[in-house]
Amino acid sequence: MKIELNHFVYEIKKEFRRKNCGFDHTPSNDFVKSQWQNRSNNIAYLIYRWIVVAFFTTALIVSMIEAASNSALLLLFIYFTTWSVIQCLLTNLLAAVLATIWHLQPEYAGKLVTCESVCNPFNIYWAMHVLSLVSSILVTVIYWCFLYEANEDSLSAANILTHILNCVSMLSDLLIVAHPLRLLHIFLPIAYGLIYAFFSIIYQFSGGHNRYNSFHVLQ
């Protein structure tokens, strides 16, 4: 028991090493495969990646259709929920593209691996995945704990897709992907939240409102 506890403490301390604040990770193919597969290439994982893209595309389209039916299409994009769905869509689209290149264009994939730029697509995807995971969880928790009103908010397809299944999808993805989750990457969602808070303040002081003519834009 003591040995297991010491190992746990060691792993926690290791997570807080300064180098884990960055985006160095090997092997690079961890970003284009499942932790459950044995081979580097797996067609099932590639199909899965594009299915997730299709899901978030559907969620965004359904939300836009519902907003348009309420004459509130433009207002849809002030909500943190919409920001999160778009973030998840872009993240999974990049993941699908990288996985596709890895499977179908191994020569080009090799060039991506050796790219040492800050704009390395694997680093960008890793950062975006952290943002998408945390934002989807926050959207679900904040909405159902603080914003949902049973008498006013219907359990529409858009509501379920963007306030429940978005979080379920990203948490499920966390259990599938092979790349690690670094605790020190928490600075990314914090910065993202500050950017949205800054946007909200500017929007409200500019006289902006949501479709209910109130000022909160976290829906």
Side-chain angles (χ1 to χ4, degrees), residues 150-166:
N151 296 328
E152 297 181 6
D153 300 313
S154 63
L155 291 178
S156 63
N159 203 347
I160 294 173
L161 285 169
T162 60
H163 293 122
I164 298 178
L165 296 183
N166 64 322

Side-chain angles (χ1 to χ4, degrees), residues 42-189:
N42 187 299
I43 191 64
Y45 181 74
L46 180 59
I47 294 173
Y48 159 76
R49 290 262 55 110
W50 285 106
I51 288 175
V52 178
V53 172
F55 164 75
F56 280 107
T57 301
T58 301
L60 182 59
I61 292 174
V62 170
S63 298
M64 292 175 66
I65 292 174
E66 182 178 287
S69 67
N70 294 319
S71 301
L73 180 58
L74 293 180
L75 289 177
L76 178 69
F77 296 96
I78 69 171
Y79 295 125
F80 187 68
T81 295
T82 308
W83 283 37
S84 177
V85 171
I86 293 174
Q87 174 71 41
C88 290
L89 172 58
L90 294 176
T91 298
N92 285 285
L93 179 59
L94 179 56
V97 170
L98 289 175
T100 302
I101 293 174
W102 192 271
H103 280 72
L104 303 181
Q105 297 289 336
E107 299 84 3
Y108 185 66
K111 294 180 181 179
L112 293 179
V113 171
T114 56
C115 176
E116 296 182 356
S117 169
V118 176
C119 296
N120 182 303
F122 294 109
N123 293 348
I124 294 173
Y125 161 64
W126 198 3
M128 291 176 66
H129 190 272
V130 174
L131 292 175
S132 299
L133 175 65
V134 175
S135 68
S136 65
I137 294 173
L138 285 177
V139 162
T140 299
V141 172
I142 292 175
Y143 179 77
W144 293 107
C145 291
F146 303 105
L147 300 178
Y148 176 71
E149 295 288 345
N151 296 328
E152 297 181 6
D153 300 313
S154 63
L155 291 178
S156 63
N159 203 347
I160 294 173
L161 285 169
T162 60
H163 293 122
I164 298 178
L165 296 183
N166 64 322
C167 180
V168 172
S169 177
M170 290 307 302
L171 287 175
S172 299
D173 192 61
L174 180 63
L175 299 177
I176 293 174
V177 296
H179 62 80
L181 182 68
R182 298 295 187 204
L183 293 178
L184 289 183
H185 286 172
I186 192 65
F187 76 90
L188 290 169

